């Protein structure tokens, strides 16, 4: 489960494209909650679905999830000039959650006394207690070309991951800059 | 009126020899409409020219020059020397009222220049440009003694029908005009001289004046065959004006207190048979202490100074409809059954705007409401043009001297009975606006385009909201808890707070993607910008500060289509440079670093459609309620109204250092020498999955509704079902390609390449997110 937590944590960090930020999971008790002031914030519920019925490309490789073709999204990247391609292929599935919160929080107390020393603001991403994952999957592969439609395309699938069920995620993700900017 | 000195300087007035008046014998038909005493008929052929007519106030004047009244040219083009033909029938009726019937053949009133100065009859220098007004009018005016306040006043009963009208603005020989104007108007106006605690004033009252108008086309002289679309409106309004002598500057001028009530107003813009309509509008706009002076601004430049203490606007728009025919709109307004389509109008929903303009202090700077209308537009466009040295102040709270009113400015959007309010709206700004009619050419190094050019010169301003309030569309909405949610609309460029200085222009031309419509060309440069990506009530949030945003759009067409309002860009490019992305306080918050986003798109589009998500299955893949339940989802019926915005962004191959798609993150953190390090995602493009064609782009459908959702208090576990701000988005693209990902460091001879290419293919991502306050 920790891997999944880290996966989401990394996804959130990547979405902010802030590689110098520090992030940690923490649990806020009532006392700490009481020192949060001037907050509005937002409570988000809903779902995110990826390629539930396939994607916009329909060709010899990509289908609509009703045939033998692959219908998920495909990410290929090349780390060496003129080299091969790492591939995350056939990515699809859905997440639904309740209670993802976003707010800016001023931390100046708590955390065993560290809060007073910390004394700064963070972006608090309150994790939903449960994330329901419905058949999320991807295949890790290597390929000779970026696109399946390119000439000379050959791909070797290495392994496939499928996640189905509920993930319990409690606590908060705190994101804050650490540099001198 | 004692303070007021009005000097009309008619320095050269020429009645040409063709102008004459005669008494004629009334025929039987005319006589049958006249009771009481016999009247007088005046037939007039009028060709009038005046070199200058000026109004002076404390020694400074504003003049219209080249004044001419003549017969209107058939095509509303260049004026002729023909005389205008007019007939007036004057009669004293049995009740003692004076009745004037008039029939005015196509007539042009025009003037070539507006100038400001201190010398009557000899004003020179920059010109505000010229205006022309063509009309053919048949009407009647009845003057009776006795006003609204006393028997000493007057009552004017007026009604007319105008046809074949045109109204245009001219600079440097380029004309922009409203063509083929028809209108009807009915009013009863009273005039009284009265006294109150302030002094003597002229009371002008119009109770329930009504009218209807239509504009056949909006045209520009570069290609008069193109149309910017048609306009239509009808109204029922009341106005009361108190006019006093003496302005805000010196001892002369004019002061007005105006109260306007909109009982009913319908307005629509049509484009090739499809219309955008604002229907069943009502409300009021009241202005306290509106003053008119000819006075110098802070730089000593003369202008017509229009200033007011307070402007209070309350406007309700009952329906905003998109892509409807005029016939269906008329049937709806007349209460008829709708044919040729659904039984309801395609409506986005309703809007309410409460806006209060008054003085305020923002971050140590005082703002008021004053507009100096001056001669001279953009300096490179020629001598003619208008310049408005403007300062405005929209407040979120107002103290009337005894009570502090909060959240006095807000905008509410309601659909299917639920509403979201942009609460605590506050805005301010000062700087120069310019107005020119231009044609496509380069003058003195500045590129101009065909159309009406609205320029911004060192215009500094900003806005902010406290947040959103979501709830039922009733009086309880204002008491709902302030919440976030605007974060869900960042893709549409909606920020909860934005400060900026703007320079540049937006030129509005005629002709759409096909047939009628508008064409926009613009170059906008925002500097010293600061935008909140998210913000709470205390002003804490994520801030894009030190924002420098240079935006260019070419041949962006705006059309009303079956689908809605379609905006298509032929070419656009921009560079957004955020010197610091700050967390917390907008000025002192720590920074994540510098971000530079370059965009270059060809053929991108946006379509705004009426109707939101409709019926959807949240948490399942199904198209009906039973199937949704079987799939483990929740079936939500989000109603007929709502807004859907469909975006298509086609990211083009890089052609220059600025016309490219790239994303750069720069930070000095972690560097011993504090030299900036950069992570660069360069040459980001889209294609149709084949690396050749590029027509699909990134497609984003964003549907906005207000709907109930389930909320769990994480501390207590209590469950509630409040209304939330619901955004249903679908993002898809065939291929998003990144040319390279590189690391740059100032001390390194060469950048380090992390990735030599990245291709993201076949993506169809859907999200249903509902934002509510944190319980």
């Amino acid at each position: 489960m920790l891997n999944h937590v880290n996966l989401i944590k990394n996804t959130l960090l990547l979405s902010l494209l802030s590689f110098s930020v520090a992030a940690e999971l923490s649990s806020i008790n009532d006392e700490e909650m009481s020192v949060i002031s001037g907050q509005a914030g937002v409570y988000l519920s809903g779902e995110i679905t990826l390629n539930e019925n396939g994607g916009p490309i329909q060709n010899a490789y990509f289908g609509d999830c009703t045939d033998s073709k692959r219908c998920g999204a495909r990410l290929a990247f090349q780390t060496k000039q003129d080299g091969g391609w790492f591939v995350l292929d056939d990515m699809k599935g859905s997440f639904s959650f309740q209670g993802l919160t976003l707010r800016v929080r001023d931390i100046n107390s708590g955390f065993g006394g560290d809060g007073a020393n910390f004394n700064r603001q963070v972006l608090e991403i309150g994790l939903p207690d449960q994330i329901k994952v419905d058949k999320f999957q991807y295949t890790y592969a290597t390929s000779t070309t970026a696109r399946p439609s390119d000439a000379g395309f050959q791909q070797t699938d290495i392994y496939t991951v499928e996640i189905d069920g509920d993930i319990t995620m409690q606590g908060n993700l705190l994101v804050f800059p650490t540099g001198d900017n | 009126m004692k303070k007021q000195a009005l000097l009309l300087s008619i320095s050269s007035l020429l009645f040409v020899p063709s102008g004459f008046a005669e008494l004629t014998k009334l025929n039987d038909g005319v006589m049958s409409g006249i009771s009481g005493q016999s009247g007088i008929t005046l037939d007039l052929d009028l060709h009038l020219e005046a070199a200058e007519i000026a109004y002076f106030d404390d020694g400074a004047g504003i003049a219209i020059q080249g004044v001419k009244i003549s017969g209107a040219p058939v095509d509303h083009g260049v004026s002729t020397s023909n005389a205008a033909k007019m007939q007036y029938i004057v009669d004293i009726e049995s009740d003692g009222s004076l009745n004037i019937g008039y029939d005015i053949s196509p007539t042009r009133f025009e003037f070539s220049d507006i100038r400001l100065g201190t010398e009557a009859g000899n004003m020179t220098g920059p010109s505000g440009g010229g205006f022309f007004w063509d009309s053919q009018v048949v009407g009647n005016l009845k003057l009776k003694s006795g006003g609204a306040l006393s028997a000493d006043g007057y009552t004017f009963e007026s009604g007319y029908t105008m046809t074949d009208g045109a109204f245009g603005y001219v600079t440097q020989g380029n004309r922009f005009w409203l063509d083929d104007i028809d209108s009807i108007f009915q009013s009863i106006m009273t005039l009284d001289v009265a006294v109150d605690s302030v002094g003597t004033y002229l009371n002008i009252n119009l109770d329930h004046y009504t009218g209807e108008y239509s504009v056949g086309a909006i045209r520009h002289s570069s290609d008069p065959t193109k149309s910017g679309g048609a306009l239509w409106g009808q109204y029922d309004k009341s106005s009361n004006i108190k006019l006093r002598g003496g302005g805000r500057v010196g001892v002369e001028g004019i002061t007005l207190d105006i109260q306007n009530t909109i009982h009913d107003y319908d307005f629509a813009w049509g484009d090739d048979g499809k219309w955008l309509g604002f229907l069943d509008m009502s409300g009021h706009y009241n202005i306290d202490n509106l003053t008119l002076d000819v006075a110098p601004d802070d730089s000593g430049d003369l202008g017509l100074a229009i200033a007011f203490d307070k402007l209070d606007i309350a406007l309700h728009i009952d329906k905003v409809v998109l892509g409807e025919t005029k016939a269906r709109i008329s049937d709806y307004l007349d209460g008829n059954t709708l044919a040729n389509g659904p039984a309801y109008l395609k409506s986005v929903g309703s809007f309410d705007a409460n806006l209060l303009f008054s003085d305020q202090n923002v971050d140590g700077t005082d703002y008021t409401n004053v507009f100096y209308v001056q001669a001279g537009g953009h300096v490179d466009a020629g001598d003619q043009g208008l310049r408005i040295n403007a300062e405005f102040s929209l407040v979120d709270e107002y103290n009337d001297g005894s009570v502090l009113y909060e959240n006095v400015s807000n905008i509410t959007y309601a659909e299917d009975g639920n509403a979201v309010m942009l609460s605590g709206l506050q805005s301010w700004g000062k700087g120069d606006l310019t107005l020119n009619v231009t044609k496509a050419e380069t003058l003195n190094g500045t590129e101009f385009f065909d159309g009406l050019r609205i320029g911004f010169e060192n215009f500094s301003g900003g806005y902010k909201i406290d947040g959103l309030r979501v709830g039922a569309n009733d009086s309880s909405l204002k008491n709902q808890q302030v919440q976030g949610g605007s974060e869900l609309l960042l893709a549409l460029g909606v920020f909860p707070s934005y400060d900026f200085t703007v320079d540049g222009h937006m030129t509005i031309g005629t002709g759409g993607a096909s047939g009628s419509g508008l064409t926009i060309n613009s170059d906008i440069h925002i500097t010293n910008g600061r935008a909140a990506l998210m913000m709470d009530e205390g002003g804490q949030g994520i801030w894009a500060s030190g924002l420098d945003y240079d935006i260019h759009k070419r041949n962006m067409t705006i059309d009303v289509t079956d689908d809605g309002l379609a905006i298509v860009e032929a070419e656009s490019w921009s560079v957004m440079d955020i010197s610091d992305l700050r967390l917390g306080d907008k000025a002192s918050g720590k920074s994540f670093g510098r971000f530079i986003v370059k965009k270059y798109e060809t053929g991108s589009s946006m379509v705004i459609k009426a109707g939101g998500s409709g019926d959807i299955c949240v948490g399942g893949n199904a198209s009906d309620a039973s199937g949704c339940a079987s799939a483990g989802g929740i079936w939500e019926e989000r109603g007929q109204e709502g807004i859907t915005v469909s975006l298509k962004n086609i990211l083009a191959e890089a052609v220059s250092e600025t016309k490219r798609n790239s994303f750069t993150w720069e930070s000095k953190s972690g560097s011993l020498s504090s030299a900036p390090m950069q992570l660069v995602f360069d040459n980001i493009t889209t294609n149709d999955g084949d690396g050749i064609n590029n027509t699909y782009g990134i497609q984003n459908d964003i549907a906005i509704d207000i709907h109930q959702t389930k909320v769990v208090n994480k501390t207590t576990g209590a469950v509630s079902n409040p209304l939330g701000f619901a955004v249903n988005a679908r993002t898809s693209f065939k291929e998003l390609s990144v040319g390279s990902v590189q690391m740059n460091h100032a001390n390194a001879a060469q950048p380090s390449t992390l990735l030599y290419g990245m291709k993201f293919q076949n993506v169809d991502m859907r999200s249903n997110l509902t934002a509510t306050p944190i319980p």
Side-chain angles (χ1 to χ4, degrees):
Chain A
M1 181 176 300
L2 186 58
N3 285 337
H4 301 315
V5 172
N6 284 331
L7 172 67
I8 291 170
K9 170 181 159 185
N10 290 334
T11 303
L12 289 167
L13 285 174
L14 282 171
S15 71
L16 291 169
L17 291 167
S18 49
F19 291 87
S20 72
V21 303
E24 61 174 304
L25 295 175
S26 67
S27 179
I28 303 178
N29 59 33
D30 289 348
E31 182 184 355
E32 288 164 350
M33 287 290 285
S34 66
V35 300
I36 297 172
S37 59
Q39 305 295 329
V42 61
Y43 178 104
L44 296 172
S45 299
E47 63 167 345
I48 297 172
T49 301
L50 182 65
N51 286 45
E52 195 168 30
N53 299 311
I57 301 178
Q58 300 289 312
N59 58 20
Y61 188 82
F62 292 114
D64 61 2
C65 300
T66 61
D67 51 29
S68 59
K69 299 175 189 175
R70 294 190 170 182
C71 64
R74 172 188 168 89
L75 175 66
F77 52 95
Q78 188 182 47
T79 57
K80 182 182 177 184
Q81 194 165 20
D82 301 323
W85 294 77
F86 291 102
V87 177
L88 294 177
D89 202 1
D90 206 18
M91 293 184 284
K92 60 185 178 183
S94 67
F95 301 89
S96 59
F97 56 86
Q98 205 167 26
L100 178 72
T101 60
L102 293 173
R103 63 180 154 194
V104 175
R105 178 181 165 197
D106 197 1
I107 295 180
N108 51 25
S109 62
F111 293 91
D114 291 340
N117 295 327
F118 182 76
N119 193 27
R120 62 198 301 182
Q121 290 145 330
V122 300
L123 173 65
E124 179 194 275
I125 303 171
L127 301 174
D129 286 345
Q130 283 202 330
I131 294 181
K132 180 183 174 185
V133 182
D134 186 14
K135 295 174 185 170
F136 179 77
Q137 70 166 60
Y138 66 88
T139 296
Y140 177 66
T142 56
S143 174
T144 54
T145 63
R147 305 180 185 94
S149 56
D150 290 341
F153 168 72
Q154 286 186 329
Q155 181 166 307
T156 302
D157 292 347
I158 298 175
Y159 63 82
T160 297
V161 173
E162 182 170 330
I163 306 170
D164 200 14
D166 294 341
I167 297 176
T168 300
M169 298 183 73
Q170 294 181 326
N172 300 300
L173 186 65
L174 306 179
V175 183
F176 51 91
T178 57
D180 299 326
N181 293 298
Chain B
M1 295 296 285
K2 290 179 182 177
K3 293 179 181 177
Q4 183 183 1
L6 178 67
L7 173 61
L8 285 177
S9 168
I10 305 177
S11 56
S12 176
L13 184 63
L14 301 174
F15 281 96
V16 295
S18 63
F20 65 92
E22 61 175 332
L23 299 177
T24 62
K25 182 180 177 182
L26 298 177
N27 60 34
D28 291 345
V30 175
M31 286 294 288
S32 66
I34 299 174
S35 61
Q37 302 175 39
S38 60
I40 302 170
T41 296
L42 300 173
D43 281 319
L44 193 66
D45 282 10
L46 179 62
H47 183 184
L48 180 150
E49 293 185 15
E52 182 175 297
I53 300 175
Y55 163 75
F56 276 80
D57 166 3
D58 292 311
I62 180 169
I64 55 174
Q65 298 175 326
V67 181
K68 187 188 290 185
I69 297 175
S70 60
V74 175
D75 58 354
H76 305 301
V78 178
S79 61
T80 69
S81 58
N82 296 335
K85 295 183 181 299
M86 307 173 183
Q87 183 180 69
Y88 296 90
I89 301 174
V90 183
D91 181 38
I92 307 295
E93 297 201 339
S94 57
D95 61 355
S97 61
L98 175 67
N99 191 80
I100 305 172
Y102 50 88
D103 185 346
I104 301 173
S105 67
T107 299
R108 165 162 293 188
F109 169 74
E110 65 182 323
F111 55 88
S112 60
D113 295 286
I114 305 170
R115 287 194 165 90
L116 293 113
T118 55
E119 294 184 42
N122 191 29
M123 291 191 194
T124 57
S127 161
F131 287 85
F132 66 89
W133 174 242
D134 294 347
S135 61
Q136 179 175 358
V137 185
V138 176
N140 197 85
L141 174 66
K142 180 183 285 187
L143 170 61
K144 296 191 292 189
S145 61
L149 302 181
S150 76
D152 295 331
Y154 294 95
T155 297
F156 299 84
E157 295 180 13
S158 176
Y160 66 77
T161 299
M162 190 190 81
T163 53
D164 199 21
F167 176 71
Y169 178 48
V170 186
T171 66
Q172 305 301 127
N174 303 312
R175 300 184 303 129
F176 192 88
W177 75 98
L178 305 179
D179 199 13
D180 193 18
I181 304 174
D182 293 340
S183 73
I184 56 173
F185 177 77
Q186 289 283 341
S187 72
I188 299 175
M189 181 179 77
T190 58
L191 287 182
D192 292 274
V193 177
V195 180
D196 62 8
S197 58
V198 179
T200 304
Y201 64 93
L202 178 65
N203 188 75
I204 306 167
N205 196 71
L206 292 107
D207 189 32
H208 282 279
Y209 60 97
T210 60
E212 181 176 359
Y213 59 87
S214 64
V215 176
I218 302 168
R219 301 198 189 281
H220 181 263
S221 52
S222 285
D223 187 352
T225 63
K226 290 182 177 177
S227 169
L231 304 174
W232 168 84
Q234 64 181 12
Y235 52 88
D236 176 359
K237 297 169 63 181
S238 294
S239 296
N240 181 263
I241 302 167
K242 292 179 178 176
L243 188 151
R244 304 172 197 272
R248 196 172 296 258
V249 180
V251 296
E252 297 177 339
I254 297 171
T255 297
L256 302 159
D257 291 295
I258 304 172
Q259 292 185 308
N260 297 288
T261 301
I262 304 169
H263 304 290
D264 190 18
Y265 204 125
D266 305 302
F267 174 78
W269 174 54
D271 172 8
D272 298 316
K274 299 298 179 186
W275 292 75
L276 160 67
F278 302 88
L279 307 182
D280 287 333
M281 292 185 282
S282 59
H284 68 258
Y285 54 104
N286 302 328
I287 312 174
D288 291 354
N289 200 25
L290 170 67
T291 55
L292 303 176
D293 293 275
V294 182
D297 62 12
D298 290 343
S299 303
D301 297 325
L302 274 182
L304 175 62
I306 304 168
F308 55 83
D309 288 354
K310 180 185 172 190
L311 167 60
D312 173 18
I313 301 172
L315 178 66
H316 170 73
I317 306 173
D318 199 58
K319 276 194 186 304
V320 177
V321 300
L322 277 170
E324 285 287 1
T325 64
K326 182 66 169 45
R328 281 172 53 84
I329 290 174
S330 296
D331 279 341
Y332 170 79
L333 293 173
D334 293 340
N336 300 329
T337 302
L338 302 185
N340 302 316
Y344 54 87
L345 287 181
K346 290 184 283 185
S347 169
V348 166
S350 71
F351 288 86
D352 281 273
N354 294 291
L355 305 173
L356 199 153
F357 292 84
S358 184
D359 295 353
Q360 66 180 326
N361 184 285
V362 180
D363 294 334
T365 302
D366 290 327
Y367 289 89
T368 188
N369 292 284
V370 60
F371 306 86
Y372 291 89
V373 182
Q374 300 170 329
H378 188 278
V379 66
D380 292 333
D383 287 337
Q384 290 186 312
L386 282 171
R387 175 174 295 270
I388 303 173
N389 179 346
E391 182 175 340
F392 75 94
S393 173
L394 175 72
V395 299
D396 62 339
E397 57 183 30
Y398 179 74
N399 192 329
D400 68 357
S402 57
V403 179
L404 177 66
Y405 298 93
E406 296 183 328
N407 190 17
V408 292
S409 295
N410 51 65
I411 295 174
T412 299
Y413 165 60
E415 55 95 19
D416 295 313
N418 300 320
V420 57
M421 172 188 283
L422 303 179
S423 179
L425 180 61
Q426 185 183 5
S427 186
W428 59 90
K430 60 173 71 176
D432 278 10
L433 304 174
T434 61
L435 195 66
N436 294 83
V437 184
T438 57
K439 64 180 179 182
E441 60 184 334
T442 298
L443 293 173
N444 303 315
T446 300
E447 185 179 14
F448 294 98
F449 302 89
D450 287 338
L452 184 67
R453 184 186 191 279
I454 302 167
F456 307 93
E457 295 184 7
N458 197 29
F459 195 96
S460 298
Y463 72 83
K464 79 173 188 67
I465 59 171
D466 290 340
L468 307 181
R469 297 179 195 265
V470 180
N473 186 26
D474 56 30
S475 59
S476 67
L477 181 64
K478 225 173 177 181
N479 299 320
Q480 297 292 334
Q481 184 180 348
V482 171
Q483 66 168 79
S486 61
E487 298 85 358
L488 302 179
L489 301 180
L490 287 176
L492 301 179
V494 176
F495 304 105
S497 176
Y498 202 170
D499 303 347
F500 50 79
T501 297
V502 60
D503 288 271
H505 76 99
M506 180 173 68
T507 302
I508 304 168
T510 55
S514 64
S516 301
L518 296 173
T519 299
I520 308 287
N521 285 280
S522 74
D523 299 281
I524 299 290
H525 191 188
I526 290 170
T527 53
N528 302 314
R530 187 163 51 198
L533 308 185
M534 67 174 289
M535 185 185 77
D536 65 24
E537 273 186 287
Q540 305 298 302
I542 300 175
W543 294 88
S545 62
L547 176 64
D548 188 305
Y549 195 8
D550 196 17
I551 313 162
H552 307 269
K553 295 188 184 297
R554 293 291 178 270
N555 293 323
M556 182 177 80
T557 57
I558 302 176
D559 293 88
V560 185
T561 67
D562 274 335
D563 289 336
L565 190 68
I567 301 169
V568 181
E569 298 171 350
E571 183 185 35
S572 67
W573 68 98
S574 64
V575 178
M576 176 191 282
D577 189 339
I578 302 166
S579 68
D580 286 292
L581 186 67
R582 297 190 184 280
L583 177 67
D585 184 78
K586 61 184 179 183
S588 61
K590 288 287 186 181
S591 169
F592 286 111
R594 177 187 180 196
F595 293 82
I596 305 167
V597 181
K598 296 180 180 179
K599 294 175 72 176
Y600 177 51
E601 302 179 21
T602 54
S604 293
S605 64
M606 176 170 74
V607 181
I608 302 170
K609 306 171 184 174
S613 300
D615 300 340
I616 60 169
C617 179
V618 179
N621 183 14
S623 57
D624 57 48
S626 59
C628 185
S630 302
I634 301 171
W635 185 250
E636 293 186 354
E637 295 176 352
R638 295 186 175 177
Q640 296 167 348
E641 296 182 326
I643 301 175
T644 296
V645 180
S646 295
L647 303 167
K648 181 160 85 169
N649 297 93
I650 297 178
L651 310 186
E653 283 283 343
V655 296
S656 70
E657 190 53 40
T658 52
K659 290 184 176 181
R660 67 194 306 117
N661 294 288
S662 69
F663 177 86
T664 301
W665 172 58
E666 179 182 292
S667 176
K668 296 176 183 176
S669 302
S671 168
L672 293 176
S673 61
S674 289
M677 298 184 298
Q678 291 185 331
L679 176 68
V680 183
F681 293 73
D682 194 26
N683 202 18
I684 304 168
T685 59
T686 54
N687 65 69
D688 293 349
D690 53 11
I692 301 170
N693 299 302
N694 195 2
T695 60
Y696 192 88
I698 300 173
Q699 299 190 7
N700 227 326
D701 291 331
I702 301 171
I704 301 165
D705 293 279
I706 300 141
H707 196 75
Q708 261 186 334
T709 190
K710 179 183 173 185
V711 169
V712 180
N713 187 311
K714 290 184 181 178
T715 306
T716 65
V719 177
S720 58
N721 295 288
L723 286 169
F725 184 55
V727 177
N728 179 18
R730 179 179 183 181
T731 303
S732 65
F733 51 84
K734 290 187 174 180
E735 182 176 314
L736 180 66
S737 173
V738 179
S740 66
V741 180
Q742 294 187 325
M743 294 284 288
N744 296 329
H745 192 284
N747 297 340
Q750 296 291 330
S752 171
T753 302
L754 297 180
L755 296 177
Y756 288 86
M758 188 163 68
K759 317 285 184 190
F760 201 8
Q761 288 192 304
N762 197 40
V763 170
D764 182 4
M765 187 171 70
R766 305 176 196 216
S767 62
N768 278 300
L769 299 177
T770 303
T772 60
I774 299 174

